[in-house]
Amino acid sequence: MCGLDCMLYFDHNATAPMLEIARKSWLQASEMSFGNPSSQHRVGDRAYQALEQARFKLAGILGCHALDLLWTSGATESNNTVFHHLSRFAPDKEVWISAIEHPCVMESAHYYFPGKVQLIPCLPSGQVDVEALKVKIQNSAQKPACIAVMAANNETGILQSWQRILEICQQAEIPYFCDAVQWIGRLPGATLGQCDYLSGCAHKFGGPKGVGFLKCPGRPAISPLLKGGPQQEKRRAGTENTPGIIAMVETLQWLEDQFLPSENVSIRHQIRNEFIAKLDQAVPGIQCLGRSTDSLWNTVTVIMPEVDCRFRWVIKMDRQQCAVSTGSACSSGHEKPSHVIRAMGLSTSHASRVLRFSSGYMTKKEEWNELLEKISVVYAQAKGQGHSH
Ligand code: PLP
């Protein structure tokens, strides 16, 4: 449930309500560490020390050097920073990004590397084609400035072989950039820190909005996207969001300890699989993406049966007190078909019928059952309006 009375909330991939631990640590940091970390006095120093602790804690979770971490306003800023930086150091090179990246990776790559963005294709399974990537590396005369493949897709929840891609990039000596926004806080983060560039944000896993991080190599020092202050060793200007950062890291540590041991993750996978099995019964002809591929335990993305094209599934679900999404929050409500669904080889007709249900840690099994009932009601309404063909 969420703050709105009686509303079932299945849109955690867009954003999650703040967890209790996040609220508590945000409030405490706002009271105890409110100073400006750059100030010379002890109030400032207290905030500075709190940030340093958070930096070491996050480095421990991800397995990277604390000094390689940069605090940002969220993953959009982190991802823009990467391409901004690379365009300063390797302006003549290409960047290779997967065809299913989030728009903030896609668009910033095109912005900073106009005409030099190559797409790595995706298989019908929803996974990036690792073999095609290997062939591309073997056949290319010049190495790209980076290869960007996300850890888990936001629209489908399908997990990408980032460990394998990291190995391939390391062997080929090409920097690997992994947008891990949808993975972090849902699956263990250990070893993600081995990626050359890594981005994440707090609001997808129950932390506050407007705070994120970027892991980037120490050398050459990252070229700041935001200029006008000496903060963070001149790598990102602007007063740090101390309470947000502390709440993000405390929440992530709490999730890693409480929820991410494998038995807890498998219970959640089981709930997801049971839901999918029941959905198959309730809505004949429904197509579940990533059924036979490793997926996030919290995400079920389906293609609903073909009905009158004016039928708005998300609006109808909302009227049933249920918040779901068409795929990506950024493209919800827009008519443009999802590039992720298209990259999987599905048609624009399929893309127009995508529904995504994404849960959180506090989502109970009963809520999945209620969701199923609501989908059945809306499906009956759709059938009542008649099939289009
Ligand atoms: N990357 C992915 C995979 C996402 O799902 C999102 C948010 O939807 C972002 C980046 C952008 O994150 P933020 O909202 O922190 O800017």
Side-chain angles (χ1 to χ4, degrees), residues 13 74-76 79 102 104 150 154 179 181-182 201 203-204:
N13 287 11
T76 300
N79 294 345
H102 189 272
C104 70
M150 66 201 333
N154 47 302
D179 171 341
V181 162
Q182 299 287 349
C201 66
H203 74 103
K204 306 286 185 187

Side-chain angles (χ1 to χ4, degrees), residues 11-127:
D11 203 11
H12 284 70
N13 287 11
T15 196
M18 256 168 88
L19 292 169
E20 185 62 22
I21 173 85
R23 250 180 266 139
K24 273 195 186 147
S25 42
W26 188 91
L27 209 57
Q28 197 187 19
S30 298
E31 285 164 3
M32 305 300 290
S33 307
F34 68 89
N36 188 324
S38 301
S39 296
Q40 306 280 303
H41 43 66
R42 276 173 291 160
V43 181
D45 190 54
R46 181 185 284 208
Y48 177 82
Q49 295 304 336
L51 282 188
E52 283 306 283
Q53 263 184 27
R55 186 196 297 280
F56 278 91
K57 204 175 255 189
L58 182 58
I61 295 171
L62 301 172
C64 64
H65 288 299
L67 283 176
D68 291 350
L69 288 169
L70 207 65
W71 308 121
T72 65
S73 63
T76 300
E77 183 192 326
S78 304
N79 294 345
N80 274 264
T81 303
V82 175
F83 292 109
H84 166 77
H85 167 75
L86 292 171
S87 71
R88 303 295 293 254
F89 283 91
D92 299 326
K93 289 193 176 178
E94 291 178 341
V95 286
W96 298 355
I97 67 176
S98 89
I100 57 166
E101 292 301 299
H102 189 272
C104 70
V105 168
M106 285 262 172
E107 288 177 30
S108 57
H110 283 287
Y111 179 82
Y112 288 107
F113 287 85
K116 297 202 194 81
V117 179
Q118 296 268 340
L119 291 188
I120 309 161
C122 164
L123 297 164
S125 65
Q127 284 186 309

Side-chain angles (χ1 to χ4, degrees), residues 233-379:
E233 288 83 37
K234 301 197 180 135
R235 295 176 300 169
R236 195 266 188 186
T239 306
E240 297 87 342
N241 173 0
T242 310
I245 293 163
I246 290 171
M248 168 170 70
V249 176
E250 288 302 311
T251 307
L252 185 56
Q253 182 73 71
W254 185 78
L255 290 171
E256 289 271 344
D257 295 343
Q258 302 285 319
F259 287 100
L260 298 186
S262 58
E263 61 278 14
N264 286 341
V265 171
S266 34
I267 290 170
R268 288 187 163 72
H269 268 300
Q270 208 176 315
I271 295 176
R272 174 183 184 271
N273 292 344
E274 281 169 22
F275 171 78
I276 293 173
K278 288 184 201 159
L279 194 57
D280 279 334
Q281 302 283 311
V283 183
I286 200 166
Q287 193 180 336
C288 175
L289 302 181
R291 191 191 289 268
S292 50
T293 320
D294 282 347
S295 295
L296 288 171
W297 52 263
N298 82 317
T299 309
V300 177
T301 299
V302 295
I303 297 180
M304 296 302 280
E306 211 165 353
V307 294
D308 187 317
C309 63
R310 285 160 304 179
F311 194 85
R312 295 281 175 265
W313 291 97
V314 173
I315 305 297
K316 294 286 195 289
M317 289 297 289
D318 184 66
R319 297 214 175 111
Q320 294 297 317
Q321 314 290 347
C322 191
V324 302
S325 164
T326 52
S328 155
C330 308
S331 44
S332 297
H334 291 225
E335 295 305 319
K336 255 175 74 180
S338 147
H339 66 285
V340 175
I341 305 299
R342 298 287 286 131
M344 289 171 71
L346 294 161
S347 68
T348 40
S349 156
H350 287 112
S352 68
R353 291 181 274 128
V354 169
L355 272 191
R356 179 187 71 187
F357 316 114
S358 52
S359 67
Y361 283 101
M362 297 305 155
T363 309
K364 298 187 192 70
K365 198 173 170 181
E366 299 78 67
E367 290 176 71
W368 281 102
N369 290 338
E370 269 183 70
L371 170 67
L372 190 73
E373 282 167 26
K374 312 270 187 195
I375 297 169
S376 304
V377 170
V378 172
Y379 176 58

Side-chain angles (χ1 to χ4, degrees), residues 212-246:
F213 68 86
L214 174 66
K215 185 255 159 174
C216 49
R219 295 270 173 274
I222 200 104
S223 172
L225 178 69
L226 302 184
K227 298 158 192 78
Q231 291 88 352
Q232 307 202 53
E233 288 83 37
K234 301 197 180 135
R235 295 176 300 169
R236 195 266 188 186
T239 306
E240 297 87 342
N241 173 0
T242 310
I245 293 163
I246 290 171

